């Protein structure tokens, strides 16, 4: 399941050129290769496919992979207005990607599997890879969606062919590599609310065996919210990023590539919209959609060491470097990826969306990640036996300070707090994958991953400013588990493939850390596992005219990691991660690519999923508050949610339609629409009313003019063309339930020049 819009812009041609040049280091490509799939095709058919041009339907290799892989080119992302991680949910079925409280902290869900982790101290359920490097802290990959070659979303358990094991899937981003000849370009994008986005790149040779590429991006403005309490706008971007690559090919069998990147993000965040207030003494007004409030008391500003004029905003610095070495032996290719990533996060948010100090938060995170992967994979793609063998090591070091201001939460709290801790973690994974092609175009495949994970939570201390200081014993969490896959695929015809597989997913456990008041809050939650059954078909029904793919899946889900409520006697309810013993998820996915006549292309994804809790007892927050109001005593009340829906959007739709007109003369015109629909999402088990985000539908449009023979393009576009009012995610903090609004209509123009 993937995009197939044709690369008819100059930008797309340059991206394709860079991808072709990088083919000597093919193993570095982050999308899982599923070599057993490629082996299912006989050598004669493979040769034909290499020689033939496929201008309508690209990413033909994915048609022979026994997995749901949604893949787009960098030119596709530009055309669809995908500029940040949360936009990726517009391009794949059964995918939800959400910003936590308007920040750079991003939460991924694939097929209902994900973890809402604001603290960023847990391994994500969906791993992000950039150029083959895993990002175990999602905010480390923020701001990197520029100068992109391809993006791939892989659904289902992973980890038997590269990287680390995970329960939900992975997002694979491959950036453009250096080219042996000179290329360069610049793009200027200006849109509503004074938003400006500039991207540029230059690539070329330094010596016969040495080439380079430098790319950068800046973004400013775009603040579409207004705060009547502060008489100012909110949400302006202030971000700059650079990426540099150096590529050395000392011989025809060896490629050495060094990459480095840097990001500085001082952007304002979007304020949440309060929808329910449980503190009647601090009422808040009902504001129009594009209005929101915030507050920062001078005492809290002094505590966090920031100016009292601070807006809700980021002050983030991310940088990293990696070394990718591949050598082609006569029997196999050996690849080594060494990477170091670091982030310095300083982030202020107002999580009640009011002028009251009941939910002001500030966090600072200093974290680094070191990864080393070694992988050996078979060299002859035409052989019946294909194999991969490797190991990945990851180490994380993290120092976190979390501050909260609840001085207006009276009479219960009325103080400011600080929680500080240090966390160390390391993971060592070994993986192997085999496939064997039998007669009759049938292939059997299997893979295994063994992963050992060790985490330590050290020196946690909570200060209630002016009241007390609480220190807690260190905690540890260990996991040592196997995951894997078994399956078969059948290349029924040259253009139709069917597959079935059973796989086990695994995700390590961890800790709840922020706002700790009793030791029992730090009890580690357990790893989660799931057993996945998936069947699918991929077919180019009519070559270059009609492609139809479909998959169905069933998940037997155990120990789902979930942010629930823990009632602390004499204090009240606090969030704590826990495990849901048993759940189930099932669903279907479809994609269609249609090219009925010259110049006209349609792409459509559809995902439908259902899930329910089968064994789940949880604290009933409404009952807890009701009991406290009657008695003044905090006491837990539990409700069985067996049979309740998991709450993830049941239906997702996204697609696009494009038409290119080639009138007489030197110019061509492309016009198109893109759309996405996401169903309602429950924020709590069985949630309704304010605990249920409404469904929404978004429509975009674009029109591009470019010369038939030239190096420039001019585009007019609109996002959220219908100016819908919608909400992307929600949550709660102290006395407030809130929703996070999505951007209104943006109308913009973009001019690009490439050579």
């Amino acid at each position: 399941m993937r995009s197939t819009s044709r690369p008819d812009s100059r930008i797309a041609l340059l991206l394709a050129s860079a991808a072709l040049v990088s083919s000597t280091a093919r193993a570095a490509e982050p999308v899982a290769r599923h070599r057993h799939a490629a082996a299912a095709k006989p050598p004669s058919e493979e040769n034909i496919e290499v020689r033939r041009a496929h201008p309508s339907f690209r990413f033909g290799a994915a048609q022979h992979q026994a997995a749901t892989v949604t893949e787009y080119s960098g030119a596709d992302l530009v055309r669809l207005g995908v500029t940040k991680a949360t936009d990726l949910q517009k391009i794949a079925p059964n995918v939800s990607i959400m910003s936590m409280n308007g920040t750079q902290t991003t939460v991924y869900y694939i097929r209902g599997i994900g973890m809402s982790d604001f603290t960023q101290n847990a391994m994500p359920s969906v791993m992000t890879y950039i150029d083959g490097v895993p990002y175990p802290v999602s905010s480390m990959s923020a701001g990197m969606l520029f100068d992109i070659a391809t993006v791939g979303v892989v659904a289902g358990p992973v980890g038997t062919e590269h990287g680390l094991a995970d329960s939900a899937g992975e997002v694979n981003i491959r950036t453009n590599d250096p080219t042996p000849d000179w290329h360069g370009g610049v793009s200027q994008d200006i849109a509503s609310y004074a938003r400006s986005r500039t991207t540029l790149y230059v690539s070329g040779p330094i010596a016969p065996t040495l080439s380079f590429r430098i790319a950068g991006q800046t973004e400013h403005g775009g603040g579409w919210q207004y705060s009547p309490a502060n008489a100012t706008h909110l949400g302006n971007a202030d971000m700059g990023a650079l990426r540099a690559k150096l590529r050395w090919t000392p011989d025809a069998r060896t490629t050495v590539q060094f990459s480095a990147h840097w990001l500085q993000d001082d952007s304002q965040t979007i304020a949440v919209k309060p929808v329910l207030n449980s503190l009647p003494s601090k009422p808040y007004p009902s504001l129009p959609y594009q209005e929101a409030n915030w507050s920062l008391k001078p005492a809290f500003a002094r505590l966090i060491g920031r100016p009292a004029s601070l807006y809700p905003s980021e002050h983030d610095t991310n940088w990293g470097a990696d070394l990718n070495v591949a050598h082609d032996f006569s029997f196999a290719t050996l690849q080594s990826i060494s990477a170091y990533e670091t982030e310095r996060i300083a982030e202020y948010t107002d999580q009640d969306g009011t002028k009251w100090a009941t939910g002001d938060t500030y966090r600072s995170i200093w974290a680094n990640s070191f990864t080393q992967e070694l992988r050996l994979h078979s060299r002859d793609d035409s052989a019946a036996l294909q194999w991969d063998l490797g190991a990945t090591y990851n180490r994380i070091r993290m120092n976190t300070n979390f501050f909260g201001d609840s001085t207006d939460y009276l009479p219960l709290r009325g103080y400011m707090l600080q929680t500080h801790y240090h966390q160390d973690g390391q993971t060592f994974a070994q993986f192997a994958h085999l496939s064997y092609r039998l007669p009759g175009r049938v292939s059997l495949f299997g893979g295994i991953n063994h992963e050992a994970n060790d985490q330590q939570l050290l020196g946690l201390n909570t200060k209630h400013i002016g009241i007390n200081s609480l220190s807690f014993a260190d905690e540890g969490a260990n996991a040592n588990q196997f995951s894997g896959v078994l399956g078969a695929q059948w290349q029924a015809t040259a253009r139709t493939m069917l597959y079935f597989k059973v796989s086990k997913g695994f995700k390590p456990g961890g800790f709840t850390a922020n706002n700790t008041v009793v030791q029992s809050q730090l009890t580690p939650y357990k790893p989660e596992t799931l057993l996945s059954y998936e069947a699918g078909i991929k077919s180019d029904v009519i070559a270059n005219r009609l492609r139809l793919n479909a998959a169905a899946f069933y998940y037997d889900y155990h120990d789902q990691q979930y942010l629930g409520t823990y009632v602390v006697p004499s204090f009240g309810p606090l969030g704590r991660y826990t495990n849901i013993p048993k759940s189930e998820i099932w669903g279907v996915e479809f994609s269609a690519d249609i090219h009925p006549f010259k110049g006209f292309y349609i792409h459509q994804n559809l995902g439908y999923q259902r899930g329910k809790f089968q064994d789940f007892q949880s604290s009933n927050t409404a009952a807890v508050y009701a009991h406290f109001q009657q008695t003044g005593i905090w006491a837990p009340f539990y409700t069985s949610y067996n049979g309740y829906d998991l709450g993830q959007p049941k239906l997702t739709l996204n697609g696009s339609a494009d038409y290119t007109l080639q009138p007489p003369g030197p110019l061509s015109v492309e016009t198109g629409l893109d759309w996405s629909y996401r169903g309602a999402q429950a924020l709590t088990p069985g949630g309704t009313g304010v605990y249920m985000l409404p469904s929404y539908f978004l429509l975009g449009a674009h029109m591009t003019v470019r010369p038939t023979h030239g190096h420039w393009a001019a585009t007019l576009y609109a996002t959220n063309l219908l100016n819908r009012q919608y909400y992307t995610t929600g949550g709660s903090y102290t006395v407030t339930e809130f929703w996070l609004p999505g951007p209104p209509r943006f109308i913009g123009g973009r001019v690009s020049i490439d050579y």
Side-chain angles (χ1 to χ4, degrees):
M1 301 187 177
R2 46 188 217 302
S3 168
T4 54
S5 302
R6 75 267 178 251
D8 56 356
S9 70
R10 176 64 178 170
I11 298 175
L13 290 174
L14 290 172
L15 296 175
S17 174
L20 179 62
V21 171
S22 68
S23 62
T24 57
R26 197 66 173 169
E29 199 168 46
V31 176
R33 292 180 304 119
H34 297 276
R35 295 177 60 86
H36 54 270
K41 295 192 298 178
S44 60
E45 183 185 319
E46 189 71 49
N47 293 336
I48 293 173
E49 186 163 298
V50 169
R51 289 196 303 265
R52 291 183 60 187
H54 291 268
S56 304
F57 300 154
R58 292 171 292 134
F59 305 116
Q63 289 298 101
H64 305 283
Q65 295 179 9
T68 300
V69 182
T70 305
E71 202 166 2
Y72 282 75
S73 72
D76 294 330
L77 303 186
V78 171
R79 178 175 54 85
L80 296 172
V82 176
T83 61
K84 54 186 181 300
T86 52
D87 293 332
L88 292 174
Q89 71 175 5
K90 300 190 301 184
I91 66 173
N94 285 331
V95 171
S96 294
I97 305 175
M98 297 165 284
S99 163
M100 292 294 291
N101 308 338
T103 69
Q104 291 285 19
T105 299
T106 305
V107 177
Y108 297 80
Y109 285 83
I110 298 179
R111 293 177 173 175
I113 307 295
M115 185 180 186
S116 180
D117 178 26
F118 179 69
T119 58
Q120 290 287 277
N121 69 326
M123 193 75 76
S125 302
V126 178
M127 189 68 69
T128 300
Y129 293 82
I130 300 181
D131 292 331
V133 176
Y135 282 70
V137 181
S138 71
S139 53
M140 284 184 173
S141 62
M144 292 291 106
L145 276 180
F146 65 94
D147 197 39
I148 298 298
T150 60
V151 169
V153 179
V154 181
V158 292
T160 63
E161 293 181 84
H162 76 116
L164 300 171
D166 225 329
S167 52
E170 57 193 35
V171 175
N172 298 300
I173 301 169
R174 187 168 67 86
T175 63
N176 284 312
D177 287 333
T179 54
D181 50 357
W182 287 98
H183 290 282
V186 62
S187 173
Q188 179 62 55
D189 187 317
I190 298 175
S192 307
Y193 304 97
R195 189 187 69 192
S196 172
R197 183 183 298 119
T198 305
T199 59
L200 56 87
Y201 74 94
V202 60
S203 178
I206 298 176
T209 61
L210 191 65
S211 57
F212 79 100
R213 189 180 189 97
I214 298 175
Q217 175 178 265
T218 65
E219 185 172 349
H220 301 278
W224 54 268
Q225 273 190 333
Y226 180 78
S227 171
N230 298 279
T232 187
H233 286 273
L234 183 65
N236 284 310
D238 183 8
M239 185 270 290
L242 283 174
R243 182 186 299 118
K245 291 187 175 185
L246 191 64
R247 186 183 187 86
W248 180 42
T249 52
D251 56 58
R253 291 179 174 268
T254 306
T255 301
V256 180
Q257 183 161 287
F258 175 77
S259 302
H261 60 268
W262 167 87
L263 167 78
Q264 183 63 47
D265 189 355
D266 295 310
S267 302
Q268 298 169 3
T269 64
I270 296 299
V272 301
K273 297 278 287 187
V275 293
L276 181 65
N277 179 15
S278 60
L279 190 65
S281 63
K282 298 296 180 183
Y284 49 77
S286 178
L287 297 176
Y289 180 77
Q290 289 186 227
E291 294 186 8
N293 282 325
W294 82 88
S295 62
L296 177 61
K297 289 193 172 183
F300 190 56
R302 289 192 296 271
L303 176 65
I304 64 178
R306 300 297 299 274
S309 59
L310 182 69
Y311 284 47
S313 60
E314 312 273 359
H315 182 53
D316 304 343
T317 303
N318 294 4
W319 63 270
D322 61 85
L323 180 66
N324 191 321
V325 181
H327 182 76
D328 201 357
F329 294 96
S330 58
F331 69 98
T333 298
L334 177 66
Q335 182 183 13
S336 169
I337 303 177
S338 309
Y340 180 82
E341 301 292 335
T342 186
E343 70 174 8
R344 301 292 184 265
I345 303 295
E347 182 181 86
Y348 163 55
T349 57
D350 190 316
Q351 296 190 37
D352 59 20
T354 74
K355 61 182 181 181
W356 311 114
T358 57
D360 296 2
T361 66
Y362 184 84
R363 65 173 182 168
S364 62
I365 302 175
W366 287 33
N368 63 73
S369 169
F370 170 75
T371 304
Q372 175 62 58
E373 177 171 308
L374 287 174
R375 181 158 55 112
L376 192 67
H377 54 92
S378 53
R379 183 172 180 266
D380 185 2
D381 287 345
S382 64
L385 178 65
Q386 302 289 313
W387 54 270
D388 289 86
L389 181 68
T392 302
Y393 173 78
N394 176 255
R395 185 204 66 200
I396 296 177
R397 299 289 184 266
M398 179 180 294
N399 275 292
T400 297
N401 274 287
F402 178 86
F403 300 85
D405 185 1
S406 298
T407 51
D408 286 337
Y409 186 3
L410 297 170
L412 299 180
R413 307 285 170 84
Y415 52 72
M416 296 181 291
L417 66 87
Q418 176 188 3
T419 297
H420 169 76
Y421 62 90
H422 176 75
Q423 185 166 329
D424 293 343
Q426 63 178 0
T427 302
F428 183 47
Q430 312 90 50
F431 54 86
H433 194 280
L434 297 173
S435 70
Y436 188 76
R437 187 176 67 247
L438 301 171
R441 294 185 172 186
V442 173
S443 290
L444 304 178
F445 58 88
I448 191 169
N449 176 294
H450 172 261
E451 189 163 295
N453 177 271
D454 174 60
Q455 298 185 58
Q456 302 292 324
L457 188 68
L458 308 171
L460 192 142
N461 174 270
T462 294
K463 296 178 181 178
H464 298 109
I465 308 302
I467 300 176
N468 58 28
S469 178
L470 307 174
S471 296
F472 300 93
D474 298 340
E475 292 280 359
N478 298 287
N480 197 321
Q481 292 210 22
F482 288 90
S483 57
V485 62
L486 285 173
Q489 67 181 80
W490 175 38
Q491 195 70 41
T493 70
R495 296 197 297 266
T496 301
M497 185 271 289
L498 298 92
Y499 70 90
F500 175 78
K501 64 179 181 178
V502 180
S503 52
K504 180 188 177 185
F506 163 73
K507 176 183 179 297
F511 313 97
T512 310
N514 291 347
N515 198 8
T516 302
V517 296
V518 292
Q519 184 72 37
S520 55
Q521 284 181 266
L522 301 180
T523 301
Y525 54 87
K526 299 185 293 185
E528 70 177 23
T529 62
L530 66 86
L531 192 61
S532 166
Y533 303 87
E534 180 175 339
I537 181 172
K538 299 183 176 184
S539 180
D540 286 337
V541 181
I542 305 174
N544 288 322
R545 294 296 182 186
L546 177 62
R547 172 175 288 175
L548 296 175
N549 294 340
F553 63 92
Y554 174 83
Y555 286 170
D556 185 11
Y557 199 6
H558 293 265
D559 292 319
Q560 174 185 351
Q561 295 166 2
Y562 178 81
L563 180 58
T565 301
Y566 179 67
V567 180
V568 181
S570 75
F571 190 87
L574 290 171
R576 186 179 74 168
Y577 290 101
T578 186
N579 294 95
I580 298 173
K582 196 172 188 309
S583 306
E584 66 175 356
I585 302 173
W586 62 267
V588 294
E589 293 159 352
F590 301 92
S591 75
D593 294 286
I594 307 171
H595 175 37
F597 52 85
K598 182 179 180 180
F600 188 46
Y601 298 83
I602 300 174
H603 174 68
Q604 178 65 60
N605 287 324
L606 182 150
Y608 181 81
Q609 62 184 16
R610 294 294 302 270
K612 66 179 181 180
F613 303 113
Q614 295 178 306
D615 182 7
F616 181 32
Q617 304 278 333
S618 182
S619 176
N620 187 319
T621 305
V624 169
Y625 275 107
H627 182 264
F628 177 79
Q629 291 174 356
Q630 292 177 0
T631 65
I633 299 173
W634 292 112
F637 290 86
Y638 293 95
T639 297
S640 172
Y641 292 101
N642 295 352
Y644 278 62
D645 191 271
L646 262 64
Q648 283 299 303
K650 295 180 178 62
L651 179 64
T652 57
L653 292 168
N654 46 72
S656 61
D658 291 275
Y659 179 65
T660 299
L661 178 65
Q662 187 71 57
L667 300 178
S668 66
V669 179
E670 178 192 286
T671 185
L673 297 173
D674 60 86
W675 53 86
S676 64
Y677 171 86
R678 197 176 89 172
Q681 176 186 351
L683 301 175
T684 60
T688 59
V690 299
Y691 301 100
M692 173 75 79
L693 283 179
S695 60
Y696 63 84
F697 173 80
L698 301 178
L699 184 67
H702 70 273
M703 182 173 67
T704 299
V705 177
R706 59 174 56 88
T708 306
H709 303 286
H711 303 283
W712 61 268
T715 301
L716 292 175
Y717 67 88
T719 58
N720 191 4
L721 181 63
L722 303 178
N723 203 27
R724 293 292 180 89
Q725 298 182 6
Y726 66 104
Y727 298 89
T728 60
T729 187
S732 64
Y733 190 79
T734 63
V735 299
T736 304
E737 299 288 335
F738 59 80
W739 293 353
L740 183 69
R745 176 170 53 223
F746 271 73
I747 298 176
R750 181 174 59 249
V751 177
S752 60
I753 301 174
D754 295 90
Y755 67 88

